[in-house]
Amino acid sequence: MKKYITLVTVGLLFVTTSCFDLSEHIYSNIPAENFFQTEKDVIAYAGRAYVKLQPFPEEQRLWSLGELAADELVIPTKHNGEWYDQGRWDDIHKLNIAPNNKILTQAWDMVFQGISACNEILSVISTINFDNKERVLAEIKILRAFYYYWGIDYWGNIPFSTSYGSKELPPQKNRAFVYAFIMQEIDENIDFLQETPSSQYYGRVTKAMAYMLQAKMYMNAQEWIGENHFADAVTSCDNIIALGAYEIEDDYFTNFKIHNEDSKENIFVIPYHSQLTTEHFYWSYLTLNSASRATINMTGVPWDGFVVNPVFFAKYATEDLRRKSFLFGQQYDKAGNPIVIDGVPFIYSPTIANYSSRGEWEGARIAKYEYQEQLNYDVNDMENDFVLFRYADVLYTKLEALYRLGQAGTFISDPDLQKIRTRAGLTPYTVGELTDTELLDELGREFAFEGHRRQDMIRFGVWENAGWNKPSTTPNKRLFPIPQTAINTNNNLIQNP
Amino acid sequence: MKNMLRTFVAVALLLCVNAAYAQTRITGTVKDTSGQGLPGVSVTVKGTTSGVITDADGTFSVTAAEGSVLIFSFIGYESVERTVSGASPVDVTLTESVTLLDEVVMIGYGTTTKKELTGAVTSIKAKDFNTGSFNDPMGLVQGKVAGLLISKPDGADPLAGYQILLRGANTLTSGQQPLVIIDGVIGADLNNLNFQDVETFDVLKDGSAAAIYGTRGTNGVIIITTKGARQGKGTFEYSVQGSTQLAPRSVKNLSASEFKYAVEHYPVSAGPSVLLGSKTDWFDEITRDNPVSYQQNLALSGGTETFSHRTSVTHSTENGLLANNQMERLLVKSNIKQKVLQEKLTLDFNIINNVSKYKPANYEIFRQAFIQNPTQPVYDDSDPRTGGYYYDDELDYRNPVAMLNERKRDGKTNNMVLNMRATLQITDNLSWDNFISTQKSEWEENSYKTQFYPSLVGTNTTPGVAGEAEISNGRNSNSQVESVLNYGTSFGDHNLQLIAGYSFQEFSENSSYVGNSNFDTDVYGYNNIGAGSYFYQGKGYLGSYKESSRLIATFARGTYNFKERYLLSASLRREGSSKFGDNHKWGLFPAVSLGWRIHEENFLSEVSWIDELKIRAGFGVTGNQDFSPYKSRILLARSGSLYYNEQWINAFEPSQNPNPDLRWEKKKELNIGADFGLFNNKLSGSLEYYMRKTVDLLWTFQVSTPPYLYKELFANVGTISNQGIELTLNAQVMKKGSFQWGMIFTASHNKNKLNKLSNAEFTQKSYEVGFLGGTITANTQRIEEGKPLGTFYGPVWLGVKDGRDVFKNQNPVGEVDREDWEDIGNANPFAFLGWTNSFNYKNWGLRFAFRAGLGGKVLNSYRLYYESWKSLSIRNIVHTQYENPEFTAAITYSSKYVEDATFLKLDNIALNYNFNLQSKLISRLNVFASAQNVFWLTKYKGIDPEVNLGGLEPGIDRLSYYPRSTSVTIGLNAAF
């Protein structure tokens, strides 16, 4: 009998343990529960909030949507039908954007996946103890505020959530609500941020970055929430100036070199590595014609789509050195010889005869960021770091705020401010020269293709104006439509008017 | 553990000895009506699970108690019962049955007879198989099982198997193919089986039948029983088949002269500069003329009552239409049966080794051959970089001959199946079955593109040439352990059978790949992958992956009948899968079914024309877990690189939205059926009606960010339903002297509906699918609540005016806004029909099998992309443009290209002759000639309207396709 009891007991044990074990064995991924072992792991986890910014200047994301909707960038259909893409570029150019527009959707996804990532990171790492925890938490919160800033800029009324783990669909909040949230986040976290820029904090959220974000919020407060905060914007800019850590570079293009990490002007950048970063910086592909390969010894074949709006190009004086941000006229190979293709000199003409059928070499091309050799999409991409905020922006923001307050004279002879003009080969401004048109044009020339133009045009009240091959629009087009995919998956969202 | 086992065996042995105590040994002979001994007849003791099989001369020897009843049953013959009295020999004559009521039917973990069956199960035996040569055993039963769609969407590709779909789309996830069980191995690979080794197919169609395989029964279960060891004198069977392919059918484009005429006379996009003066038939350049394939099979079998074996060796070489495309296979299958412990313990050992070498086809080559300018020469040696091929830099335009010749692609698989079944007859009523199996597969695929491969021309970076090598390989395994107790008893008019069991299965798979480019020379091919310079340039790539999952179940089934008239079966399987969330791993899958053999009742006994009438009803729940593991977990993966503290570090993120609530998708099915035999069983068949509803559909749903990290979540949402009817008729049309005419007719109709796809949490109600890119760039289908899957959405085409398409509700620029697109048809046919006829006259046999699909739509991609004069540039267009010559505009998607898919096919026709040999050496000799895919009738303007009907985007005849052909086979079967 004893034998049977043993048998049954052992049998039962066998049956209840391994015989019914359904735990999963994971080999090629890291189960989350085993991940956080060292502080480096925490940073590697939290750091993805920064990685989510890397798509920013790609072909179909935040940057291209804003620039194409504004008057800097155009993507006309080529003579051979390329770049028509079911009219998705043309629709953006004419502000006739359908909610299922692919670029619109991907821009939205970048913002809200960034916000979700920040929410998740905060919920996970706030329960772990590690060195400099307050600073890391503050960085992530300011990054989240930065994503929200783009969210209310582009769409105004957006889903709002600061937590992770609940399945509840977030409610839709208006600009005033989100504005207040962003400002509160900056106030509560700015003291924890790194003050002096150093290579250790390169590419990270610092105090100056948070002040600049604050200044930008104030500058747009009139449009977004109907409040005048220009004086506060000046204070924010002064806080950065007071840090004494930044300066206007002698050469405008130092800020955009292949190794622009040396720039003392850049405040907040997205660092890129030619191979390591999984999202790429590849303007060479977007803008260059394949004949330009000889100029920079390019390995791959560029796609030849993004060109400079001819009207915007014309805003530059001939002597303006910043006009070198573009390729136009006769092109030269690496050795300096003029490029001739099948007997025809390779010339980029800044004008475009027919918007719906752009000639092969029509349109000036973007060359603001220095192009390295052997560029090859997804194999060897641009190493330049993309500039989001720089010191010239601080000074020009202060100038514009003071101009709007009628106090431009107090700042107009600031040597750093004047240097922005003189390094471009131009004379410094006098108060009398400053008009709305001139200021807007100058902001355009200084910050061309840096992602500023949309806000500037709206702030200066010219957004609705007709443009090059673009009819005038109604004020409701100041907001982009909410993508259909977002409305489909969250029934709290109501489409913008 | 060892001690325990010993104790257990001792106890079991004791029981056996006790049971054998009052038994006597009965011997005898079983003969057919002509007086020939019948080998292979099953002789069982009624109410028990013990029994033997007759040897080559039809003799048998069995131990049974005095007064017990012996049942003699054999496929194709009426069963006979004899009561044992004394030790005198029992001689039995079996007559051929027509209705096969006592035919054995496999129902999973056991068998029953056709008359006792209560679920919707179709059993197909060798006599009804298609004749020919098949690379996949499913070809044997194409069109024979109502509701089971067996088609070959990849045409004449020797590597392509059949697509098998049963009773509509019941799930949204990838797993839509029925579960295949070969000799007890669950989830067996059909590639490891040669068609000649198949004995029977049993298809468990309804939920009540399939529920015993709970988790994976949703798409039905196909149980294949192979020819196993059989006692008797040694036999040696040999067969050989040779086939060739005739009449290749590819999408027709313009010939060189038509192309030239079009360029000169029609408003095409190309100027005269595209006329290059040659006359090239690109399809001809890339295909073999009448590719020959052959297959040989050797089988040895024989043995005694206690030890028998069967070994079969198959070698086949199949050549595809595409030059280079080939499949060669050597398959060895061996089965050994041994009885030990006074024949109480039966050991059944199987080993299969399947080695194949193949050269896969790149379907893109067929498309390139189609679009290639027919006036362009194949070769041109003006530029040394192109390797002597004509080369054009045009985007997405490549010389198909160079694609074919300048890429070497080789694949290998090495599959091994090992299993052992040990059945212990504990008492006459109780047996214990233990099964251990492992199925392993190793594969390897290597590719080398030389510097002259069109997409590589001119891409080399110094040093080296632009060649590109890839090596990938992997292994997977499926291990299974099962233990089942089987109890059967009869008392009075009550017959009862009970089983209870445990099943454990583990799947694992791993793979790795490496790719490199820029080699010193093309000479290495893929055999020196380190020699390429891409790795030190930072451009090479490699990776590896591994995963595993488990399924564990306990199950029980009881079947009971009273007087073989009132039938009842009930089963329950509790199964767990490691793939689900922690709180949802286990699921319960119950089933119950009832049957009533009405003709046994008095009120029907007077009706002479009814021989058999049974009505059945069954309800069963099945599950689905056919998706990749780890979906419920938070897994971290590298998200990219981050510049941190003066260096680049890797950042990590959750690789997916985890779903800890992931749970079983369940299908509930009600099946009502009737089996009948009429007019002396000259007409028999069955009729089924089913209603299936799948709830908690597993799919990748779109979700909002936030709250989720990413836009997709694998979750359980929604309901899908299918209902339909199936009819199977078997008719003995004529039997006169030595002439016989038999017929099988099948018909099925299924109606699918996606009832629900959203809830409070998942709010999206429709999904755009069927995306076609390139110049079309449109989603051609929509998955939408309230509609069936496979619904095409698009503008409604009204005709052509002024060279342009005219659509219903078109806007001022002549396009139809997305909101105005309409339902323009569904891919799923209204009904499928199958019709097989077989004629036998003396030594001759003739059979042919037709199959038809009625209704349904198919999207003709070739017309959609290439039916306009405007599309004729350097690229060729479809010949059907001549039917619409006035159309000159750019093409957009509309109902114009969604065509009727109705078809009638002659799948198979075969003639065979049996030699009457009086030779002692050769016992059987049979020769045949057959043809497959003989012809089809359809209004469809493409090649074959029978395209992929599985998945969520059915009915799209894609640009990447493999042509169709008719294959003609001659073969010989001999037994010695």
Side-chain angles (χ1 to χ4, degrees):
Chain A
M1 199 59 203
K2 217 171 155 189
K3 235 181 209 172
Y4 286 102
I5 293 169
T6 323
L7 193 142
V8 169
T9 318
V10 174
L12 272 177
L13 260 174
F14 177 65
V15 160
T16 45
T17 53
S18 71
C19 263
F20 290 90
D21 177 14
L22 288 176
S23 52
E24 285 190 289
H25 297 270
I26 295 161
Y27 310 92
S28 305
N29 283 94
I30 308 162
E33 53 271 29
N34 306 341
F35 185 68
F36 297 104
Q37 310 283 348
T38 67
E39 193 202 334
K40 191 171 160 256
D41 298 333
V42 179
I43 296 298
Y45 195 72
R48 85 169 199 277
Y50 286 100
V51 175
K52 296 277 163 196
L53 264 184
Q54 287 169 0
F56 189 92
E58 288 183 357
E59 174 194 7
Q60 305 189 352
R61 300 286 188 158
L62 274 187
W63 169 81
S64 62
L65 174 62
E67 299 289 20
L68 183 56
D71 66 0
E72 286 178 341
L73 172 68
V74 285
I75 308 175
T77 304
K78 277 183 71 180
H79 60 98
N80 54 8
E82 285 172 20
W83 289 96
Y84 173 67
D85 297 333
Q86 294 78 50
R88 71 170 79 111
W89 308 107
D90 180 49
D91 287 348
I92 297 172
H93 175 61
K94 293 183 173 140
L95 295 184
N96 178 32
I97 309 173
N100 62 5
N101 186 288
K102 189 177 170 191
I103 289 92
L104 179 84
T105 308
Q106 303 211 72
W108 171 283
D109 290 346
M110 188 194 145
V111 169
F112 290 95
Q113 289 183 20
I115 289 169
S116 251
C118 291
N119 289 344
E120 195 260 354
I121 291 165
L122 289 169
S123 82
V124 171
I125 66 170
S126 58
T127 62
I128 307 170
N129 285 320
F130 55 97
D131 287 348
N132 299 317
K133 180 173 174 178
E134 281 174 326
R135 198 199 60 225
V136 173
L137 288 177
E139 281 183 46
I140 305 299
K141 285 180 180 172
I142 298 299
L143 260 186
R144 180 172 63 184
F146 183 69
Y147 286 115
Y148 269 122
Y149 154 81
W150 284 102
I152 51 167
D153 177 17
Y154 278 23
W155 293 281
N157 308 297
I158 54 173
F160 182 80
S161 164
T162 57
S163 62
Y164 177 77
S166 155
K167 292 179 197 166
E168 211 160 296
L169 296 171
Q172 190 171 26
K173 295 292 185 187
N174 63 14
R175 272 177 166 169
F177 180 94
V178 182
Y179 183 96
F181 168 77
I182 294 170
M183 291 315 234
Q184 193 191 341
E185 288 284 277
I186 295 173
D187 284 345
E188 285 176 4
N189 292 287
I190 197 162
D191 290 340
F192 299 114
L193 296 173
Q194 174 66 20
E195 190 163 291
T196 37
S198 78
S199 53
Q200 275 157 299
Y201 292 92
Y202 188 69
R204 305 266 291 279
V205 168
T206 58
K207 238 174 205 172
M209 181 275 178
Y211 280 128
M212 191 66 222
L213 176 60
Q214 194 181 43
K216 297 232 167 216
M217 294 292 293
Y218 285 135
M219 289 305 286
N220 293 306
Q222 188 83 60
E223 165 70 18
W224 292 356
I225 59 168
E227 290 176 16
N228 180 327
H229 283 287
F230 295 114
D232 294 324
V234 174
T235 311
S236 300
C237 291
D238 283 340
N239 284 334
I240 302 173
I241 296 167
L243 292 172
Y246 303 94
E247 56 189 66
I248 299 296
E249 286 285 351
D250 296 336
D251 180 355
Y252 178 73
F253 292 101
T254 303
N255 303 318
F256 311 106
K257 286 189 311 184
I258 297 165
H259 291 290
N260 56 343
E261 56 270 24
D262 303 329
S263 159
K264 294 187 179 64
E265 185 172 325
N266 292 341
I267 293 174
F268 185 45
V269 301
I270 306 171
Y272 289 95
H273 186 282
S274 292
Q275 281 90 32
L276 289 178
T277 35
T278 38
E279 300 288 344
H280 318 290
F281 190 18
Y282 52 88
W283 283 8
S284 50
Y285 268 80
L286 302 182
T287 187
L288 297 181
N289 181 272
S290 63
S292 279
R293 293 167 73 192
T295 309
I296 54 169
N297 280 345
M298 193 169 179
T299 306
V301 182
W303 307 332
D304 189 17
F306 283 38
V307 303
V308 183
N309 186 324
V311 175
F312 183 81
F313 181 85
K315 292 182 193 295
Y316 287 82
T318 330
E319 66 273 22
D320 193 332
L321 295 174
R322 293 172 302 194
R323 201 162 72 144
K324 287 187 188 156
S325 299
F326 311 115
L327 297 180
F328 55 95
Q330 174 65 48
Q331 299 298 300
Y332 300 87
D333 67 15
K334 195 76 193 169
N337 307 310
I339 302 172
V340 177
I341 306 281
D342 293 338
V344 184
F346 173 34
I347 294 171
Y348 282 125
S349 76
T351 55
I352 299 164
N354 183 353
Y355 170 68
S356 38
S357 178
R358 174 176 68 77
E360 193 66 24
W361 295 337
E362 285 187 319
R365 308 307 164 102
I366 310 161
K368 186 167 189 169
Y369 284 90
E370 183 188 0
Y371 290 130
Q372 69 210 58
E373 289 194 35
Q374 306 274 344
L375 285 171
N376 194 355
Y377 178 72
D378 205 15
V379 174
N380 187 34
D381 290 300
M382 292 164 63
E383 183 100 20
N384 324 52
D385 302 331
F386 186 80
V387 182
L388 287 164
F389 293 153
R390 61 187 167 96
Y391 195 51
D393 195 8
V394 179
L395 302 184
Y396 267 10
T397 300
K398 183 176 171 184
L399 178 68
E400 184 194 329
L402 288 168
Y403 164 79
R404 289 176 184 277
L405 294 165
Q407 300 164 12
T410 62
F411 186 51
I412 198 82
S413 48
D414 180 272
D416 278 345
L417 179 73
Q418 293 193 339
K419 192 176 173 185
I420 299 174
R421 291 280 292 174
T422 53
R423 73 173 175 185
L426 305 166
T427 53
Y429 279 124
T430 60
V431 173
E433 282 173 318
L434 289 182
T435 61
D436 275 15
T437 314
E438 180 54 32
L439 202 47
L440 175 62
D441 285 354
E442 174 64 10
L443 289 174
R445 291 185 292 255
E446 176 66 22
F447 302 111
F449 295 95
E450 290 182 48
H452 293 204
R453 191 68 179 164
R454 199 185 103 84
Q455 279 180 13
D456 293 350
M457 288 175 73
I458 291 174
R459 219 167 47 243
F460 281 89
V462 301
W463 186 251
E464 285 76 31
N465 296 357
W468 185 73
N469 283 292
K470 170 193 181 174
S472 61
T473 53
T474 47
N476 66 323
K477 300 285 187 186
R478 287 183 198 177
L479 292 183
F480 290 127
I482 296 172
Q484 197 58 44
T485 53
I487 291 179
N488 286 345
T489 53
N490 181 352
N491 51 12
N492 292 329
L493 300 183
I494 296 163
Q495 185 57 276
N496 283 328
Chain B
M1 191 73 196
K2 212 171 176 183
N3 262 330
M4 260 165 40
L5 260 181
R6 204 174 288 157
T7 318
F8 198 86
V9 171
V11 170
L13 275 176
L14 207 68
L15 284 170
C16 302
V17 173
N18 279 340
Y21 201 73
Q23 310 248 324
T24 47
R25 182 157 287 270
I26 316 290
T27 56
T29 311
V30 182
K31 292 179 174 166
D32 67 12
T33 41
S34 67
Q36 290 275 335
L38 265 181
V41 176
S42 156
V43 184
T44 53
V45 184
K46 190 171 182 178
T48 75
T49 46
S50 69
V52 295
I53 285 174
T54 57
D55 68 12
D57 304 321
T59 58
F60 69 94
S61 166
V62 65
T63 48
E66 182 81 23
S68 60
V69 177
L70 293 182
I71 304 172
F72 299 85
S73 56
F74 190 51
I75 292 166
Y77 291 82
E78 297 277 6
S79 288
V80 166
E81 293 187 7
R82 283 289 162 83
T83 307
V84 176
S85 59
S88 58
V90 178
D91 290 330
V92 171
T93 301
L94 294 185
T95 50
E96 274 189 72
S97 71
V98 190
T99 55
L100 312 179
L101 282 177
D102 293 302
E103 208 176 86
V104 174
V105 178
M106 309 293 296
I107 51 170
Y109 303 109
T111 60
T112 185
T113 57
K114 193 159 164 50
K115 68 180 173 198
E116 287 173 58
L117 195 63
T118 49
V121 180
T122 303
S123 191
I124 304 283
K125 316 287 182 197
K127 74 175 179 65
D128 290 322
F129 288 168
N130 287 324
T131 307
S133 186
F134 302 92
N135 69 347
D136 177 333
M138 293 310 294
L140 295 169
V141 291
Q142 193 176 31
K144 312 263 184 259
V145 182
L148 186 73
L149 175 65
I150 300 172
S151 63
K152 219 170 195 183
D154 288 329
D157 184 353
L159 271 68
Y162 288 92
Q163 179 175 51
I164 314 163
L165 295 169
L166 182 74
R167 291 189 170 181
N170 298 283
T171 173
L172 299 173
T173 40
S174 57
Q176 290 191 343
Q177 298 252 4
L179 177 67
V180 174
I181 297 170
I182 302 176
D183 293 333
V185 178
I186 304 178
D189 184 351
L190 282 166
N191 287 316
N192 294 335
L193 180 61
N194 172 40
F195 77 96
Q196 286 162 310
D197 288 332
V198 177
E199 192 154 87
T200 59
F201 285 88
D202 293 278
V203 182
L204 314 188
K205 297 199 286 190
D206 77 329
S208 70
I212 197 68
Y213 290 107
T215 58
R216 288 160 295 170
T218 283
N219 301 310
V221 182
I222 296 174
I223 301 177
I224 297 176
T225 309
T226 68
K227 292 175 184 163
R230 191 162 283 170
Q231 67 186 74
K233 72 170 171 113
T235 39
F236 171 73
E237 290 163 280
Y238 173 76
S239 72
V240 59
Q241 299 107 43
S243 348
T244 187
Q245 294 177 49
L246 309 173
R249 276 149 276 191
S250 63
V251 184
K252 199 172 177 214
N253 53 12
L254 305 192
S255 69
S257 54
E258 287 167 333
F259 188 87
K260 180 166 184 288
Y261 186 86
V263 168
E264 286 161 353
H265 296 88
Y266 288 107
V268 301
S269 292
S273 66
V274 302
L275 299 177
L276 301 170
S278 291
K279 282 191 171 177
T280 307
D281 182 342
W282 289 97
F283 183 76
D284 192 53
E285 294 288 338
I286 58 163
T287 50
R288 295 185 175 112
D289 298 329
N290 307 327
V292 172
S293 302
Y294 84 95
Q295 175 154 188
Q296 290 186 86
N297 178 272
L298 274 177
L300 286 160
S301 63
T304 64
E305 195 178 319
T306 54
F307 185 90
S308 56
H309 79 99
R310 182 177 193 273
T311 298
S312 137
V313 181
T314 308
H315 180 254
S316 65
T317 304
E318 277 185 87
N319 287 307
L321 276 174
L322 185 69
N324 290 358
N325 186 200
Q326 194 186 57
M327 175 82 172
E328 190 185 346
R329 188 158 70 145
L330 179 66
L331 196 149
V332 181
K333 179 177 181 299
S334 195
N335 174 233
I336 296 167
K337 278 198 182 84
Q338 188 169 11
K339 289 188 177 180
V340 293
L341 301 177
Q342 295 186 327
E343 300 182 20
K344 291 296 165 190
L345 182 65
T346 307
L347 299 171
D348 189 338
F349 183 73
N350 269 301
I351 177 166
I352 299 170
N353 190 41
N354 175 15
V355 181
S356 67
K357 286 196 289 186
Y358 59 91
K359 294 178 188 298
N362 177 5
Y363 290 11
E364 173 65 11
I365 293 175
F366 288 110
R367 186 178 75 91
Q368 288 296 343
F370 170 88
I371 63 173
Q372 218 67 195
N373 178 347
T375 69
Q376 173 188 307
V378 178
Y379 304 101
D380 170 23
D381 19 345
S382 61
D383 184 349
R385 294 181 316 151
T386 70
Y389 298 98
Y390 188 91
Y391 178 80
D392 199 307
D393 206 5
E394 188 85 4
L395 193 72
D396 186 30
Y397 185 83
R398 318 230 181 269
N399 186 326
V401 179
M403 287 175 81
L404 192 66
N405 296 346
E406 298 305 319
R407 183 175 186 189
K408 186 171 158 57
R409 240 176 130 187
D410 292 297
K412 265 185 209 168
T413 59
N414 194 344
N415 298 353
M416 175 80 96
V417 182
L418 286 171
N419 60 56
M420 189 165 96
R421 185 180 294 281
T423 310
L424 181 67
Q425 197 69 45
I426 299 172
T427 69
D428 280 353
N429 301 90
L430 182 66
S431 67
W432 184 29
D433 195 78
N434 287 286
F435 184 60
I436 303 177
S437 165
T438 176
Q439 176 177 304
K440 283 186 189 297
S441 176
E442 287 181 5
W443 59 270
E444 172 181 322
E445 260 189 45
N446 302 327
S447 156
Y448 185 76
K449 292 175 182 166
T450 75
Q451 57 182 315
F452 304 124
Y453 191 79
S455 63
L456 298 182
V457 167
T459 66
N460 63 310
T461 57
T462 43
V465 299
E468 188 183 301
E470 281 177 318
I471 292 180
S472 51
N473 53 64
R475 288 140 292 278
N476 56 60
S477 71
N478 166 358
S479 306
Q480 183 182 344
V481 175
E482 284 184 329
S483 185
V484 183
L485 281 169
N486 201 326
Y487 177 80
T489 187
S490 296
F491 45 96
D493 290 325
H494 307 274
N495 301 301
L496 180 69
Q497 201 163 23
L498 297 170
I499 62 160
Y502 164 83
S503 167
F504 173 97
Q505 230 177 332
E506 186 164 64
F507 306 87
S508 77
E509 108 178 44
N510 65 71
S511 59
S512 62
Y513 61 89
V514 55
N516 201 356
S517 285
N518 245 49
F519 290 83
D520 300 328
T521 159
D522 283 331
V523 170
Y524 301 135
Y526 50 69
N527 298 308
N528 187 0
I529 199 152
S533 65
Y534 257 38
F535 268 105
Y536 68 73
Q537 292 174 28
K539 298 185 255 183
Y541 56 90
L542 48 80
S544 67
Y545 180 72
K546 182 175 179 180
E547 67 174 41
S548 72
S549 65
R550 273 184 185 184
L551 268 175
I552 296 174
T554 48
F555 53 88
R557 180 176 58 211
T559 50
Y560 164 79
N561 71 63
F562 177 68
K563 288 187 171 173
E564 294 185 335
R565 189 183 299 173
Y566 308 106
L567 318 166
L568 167 72
S569 173
S571 70
L572 182 67
R573 186 170 173 117
R574 177 172 183 266
E575 188 152 37
S577 164
S578 61
K579 292 174 183 174
F580 292 105
D582 280 342
N583 301 326
H584 305 277
K585 286 195 191 291
W586 294 89
L588 270 184
F589 303 94
V592 60
S593 55
L594 303 162
W596 179 23
R597 299 180 69 214
I598 308 178
H599 71 283
E600 300 264 309
E601 302 289 347
N602 288 335
F603 60 85
L604 273 184
S605 57
E606 299 297 303
V607 186
S608 62
W609 55 277
I610 299 178
D611 305 298
E612 162 83 13
L613 181 63
K614 176 169 72 179
I615 56 172
R616 299 178 264 109
F619 176 80
V621 180
T622 52
N624 181 9
Q625 55 103 50
D626 192 2
F627 57 86
S628 54
Y630 316 132
K631 299 263 190 205
S632 73
R633 302 286 297 256
I634 304 174
L635 297 180
L636 301 184
R638 179 175 172 249
S639 75
S641 285
L642 165 74
Y643 193 70
Y644 172 77
N645 208 359
E646 302 183 312
Q647 56 178 336
W648 288 96
I649 62 167
N650 285 340
F652 287 85
E653 64 181 351
S655 57
Q656 60 187 0
N657 283 321
N659 185 355
D661 297 328
L662 207 60
R663 60 186 187 275
W664 290 95
E665 166 185 302
K666 285 188 175 177
K667 190 205 73 187
K668 299 164 186 173
E669 179 168 8
L670 173 70
N671 190 93
I672 297 169
D675 299 319
F676 49 85
L678 311 172
F679 313 113
N680 287 329
N681 282 321
K682 280 190 175 137
L683 179 66
S684 64
S686 55
L687 181 67
E688 311 278 353
Y689 165 80
Y690 59 88
M691 235 301 288
R692 341 176 102 187
K693 195 168 205 174
T694 316
V695 298
D696 290 337
L697 291 171
L698 283 164
W699 198 39
T700 304
F701 291 87
Q702 295 286 312
V703 291
S704 168
T705 51
Y708 294 98
L709 290 173
Y710 309 107
K711 293 176 84 174
E712 294 179 337
L713 177 69
F714 193 74
N716 300 84
V717 185
T719 310
I720 200 167
S721 64
N722 284 279
Q723 51 180 310
I725 47 170
E726 290 160 358
L727 174 69
T728 307
L729 292 175
N730 281 283
Q732 184 74 58
V733 183
M734 199 183 284
K735 190 173 181 182
K736 221 171 197 177
S738 47
F739 178 76
Q740 280 188 55
W741 177 13
M743 199 188 273
I744 303 176
F745 175 79
T746 62
S748 65
H749 158 75
N750 182 71
K751 192 167 181 254
N752 170 275
K753 188 177 170 186
L754 182 63
N755 306 65
K756 200 116 183 72
L757 196 59
S758 63
N759 59 27
E761 211 181 300
F762 299 85
T763 59
Q764 187 158 332
K765 290 179 164 56
S766 79
Y767 288 79
E768 304 278 324
V769 294
F771 180 77
L772 295 180
T775 54
I776 298 302
T777 311
N779 287 299
T780 57
Q781 293 186 346
R782 198 177 287 173
I783 295 176
E784 191 171 25
E785 282 186 4
K787 293 271 185 185
L789 294 178
T791 303
F792 288 100
Y793 265 88
V796 177
W797 182 69
L798 301 175
V800 173
K801 198 183 168 195
D802 303 329
R804 294 174 57 104
D805 284 332
V806 182
F807 306 111
K808 188 175 156 191
N809 297 326
Q810 68 180 33
N811 63 22
V813 288
E815 290 167 2
V816 182
D817 296 334
R818 227 25 222 173
E819 308 84 79
D820 294 329
W821 284 25
E822 290 178 34
D823 178 344
I824 52 175
N826 190 280
N828 294 299
F830 173 80
F832 284 103
L833 307 176
W835 185 44
T836 306
N837 281 281
S838 52
F839 301 93
N840 288 297
Y841 179 68
K842 289 185 176 164
N843 298 344
W844 291 92
L846 171 71
R847 72 169 65 221
F848 54 87
F850 281 102
R851 209 157 45 83
L854 306 179
K857 297 282 185 186
V858 57
L859 173 60
N860 189 331
S861 292
Y862 270 90
R863 284 186 58 222
L864 175 58
Y865 281 85
Y866 305 113
E867 194 188 81
S868 170
W869 293 122
K870 195 181 165 104
S871 303
L872 194 157
S873 51
I874 186 171
R875 294 177 176 78
N876 206 340
I877 59 170
V878 284
H879 205 264
T880 51
Q881 170 64 9
Y882 285 114
E883 295 169 27
N884 239 336
E886 69 276 27
F887 183 72
T888 54
I891 305 171
T892 55
Y893 169 64
S894 74
S895 61
K896 182 180 178 182
Y897 309 101
V898 177
E899 302 181 31
D900 187 349
T902 300
F903 69 87
L904 172 69
K905 283 188 179 184
L906 178 57
D907 276 338
N908 183 277
I909 178 163
L911 180 68
N912 67 66
Y913 183 80
N914 264 310
F915 289 92
N916 269 343
L917 293 171
Q918 301 303 326
S919 159
K920 279 198 172 156
L921 184 63
I922 303 174
S923 61
R924 180 164 52 88
L925 182 64
N926 170 281
V927 292
F928 74 88
S930 79
Q932 272 158 268
N933 295 316
V934 187
F935 68 81
W936 52 94
L937 303 174
T938 175
K939 281 194 286 183
Y940 179 57
K941 294 178 183 178
I943 316 170
D944 181 354
E946 198 176 23
V947 299
N948 175 23
L949 282 180
L952 299 179
E953 301 170 344
I956 300 176
D957 193 3
R958 306 246 173 205
L959 293 177
S960 284
Y961 79 107
Y962 203 101
R964 305 296 196 262
S965 65
T966 297
S967 69
V968 175
T969 306
I970 51 170
L972 173 150
N973 298 302
F976 305 92

